[in-house]
Amino acid sequence: MSAAQPLSTQITDRNFLQANGFSFTIDRAPTLGFYGNAVNVPGFNLPAAIQPSYLKDIPRPGTVMEFNDLRVRFLVDQGLQNYNEIQRWMRGIGFPESLQQIYDWQKTSPVAYEQRDSIEGIFSDATLTILSAINTPIFSVKFQDCWPSNLSDLAFDAQQADVEYLTAEVTFKYTYYEITDVACC
């Protein structure tokens, strides 16, 4: 049996993180965060680089990180404002019917005027703020250069017995994210 652990290696925080303590904001889609009811901190992986050998290939730590997608589930407001906000963003990036769609989208963008005509104007930074049990910010997860890649269906169903509010999910691609401890500062 080993000797008692030094005091510096003892667990000091015995509280658990709560799944419902968060807020989410994204600059280009301000109404999305208010109605957001689920968001993930994406996982990531580091694929192995293979070192050839005459006996067998040897896996070594790779050099290119692969981040999973950021997914946000949100309640759809009655005026479809938050759903259309994402839909217009995606149409503005992809302009499926005409080039005029991207020009119209750029004019109504909440992004700074200087960025509207640049390629950076299609991206937006996002922040997930993780809250403590007493609803004070403890961590900030900042996502760099987000853009929506998938928007879910809106499924209406007249056979529902009770009133159920519609939710939708948007999937974002992004460059990277960082988790910052805001409780200490």
Side-chain angles (χ1 to χ4, degrees):
M1 193 80 163
S2 66
Q5 291 182 330
L7 197 55
S8 64
T9 61
Q10 295 292 318
I11 296 172
T12 58
D13 185 0
R14 296 179 190 269
N15 297 315
F16 297 105
L17 199 56
Q18 297 179 6
N20 61 354
F22 70 93
S23 69
F24 181 77
T25 58
I26 186 162
D27 299 337
R28 186 169 284 286
T31 62
L32 178 68
F34 180 77
Y35 293 99
N37 60 6
V39 64
N40 68 315
V41 175
F44 56 90
N45 72 32
L46 181 62
I50 303 300
Q51 176 183 341
S53 168
Y54 69 95
L55 295 176
K56 75 171 208 113
D57 290 342
I58 303 168
R60 297 288 184 205
T63 58
V64 179
M65 298 281 289
E66 294 176 356
F67 291 96
N68 294 347
D69 293 338
L70 169 63
R71 294 179 317 278
V72 178
R73 189 175 64 234
F74 60 97
L75 290 164
V76 179
D77 65 280
Q78 182 172 297
L80 291 175
Q81 186 177 356
N82 54 9
Y83 189 84
N84 280 332
E85 196 170 53
I86 300 299
Q87 189 180 116
R88 280 191 299 274
W89 187 357
M90 292 178 75
R91 287 176 184 267
I93 293 170
F95 44 89
E97 289 113 26
S98 71
L99 284 174
Q100 189 60 41
Q101 282 182 303
I102 194 165
Y103 303 136
D104 293 343
W105 171 72
Q106 286 174 339
K107 288 176 190 172
T108 61
S109 167
V111 172
Y113 183 77
E114 332 43 90
Q115 291 183 333
R116 288 186 186 165
D117 294 329
S118 69
I119 192 69
E120 288 99 27
I122 66 173
F123 303 114
S124 182
D125 292 345
T127 304
L128 170 64
T129 304
I130 300 170
L131 307 174
S132 70
I134 57 172
N135 289 332
T136 58
I138 53 175
F139 290 101
S140 177
V141 185
K142 295 194 185 269
F143 296 89
Q144 188 75 32
D145 297 335
C146 297
W147 56 275
S149 63
N150 186 28
L151 181 61
S152 69
D153 302 340
L154 288 180
F156 292 90
D157 185 355
Q159 295 182 343
Q160 292 290 333
D162 293 327
V163 174
E164 287 192 28
Y165 299 107
L166 287 178
T167 61
E169 184 170 291
V170 60
T171 303
F172 290 97
K173 301 289 186 185
Y174 56 93
T175 306
Y176 67 94
Y177 71 85
E178 292 180 324
I179 299 175
T180 306
D181 184 352
V182 296
C184 70
C185 307

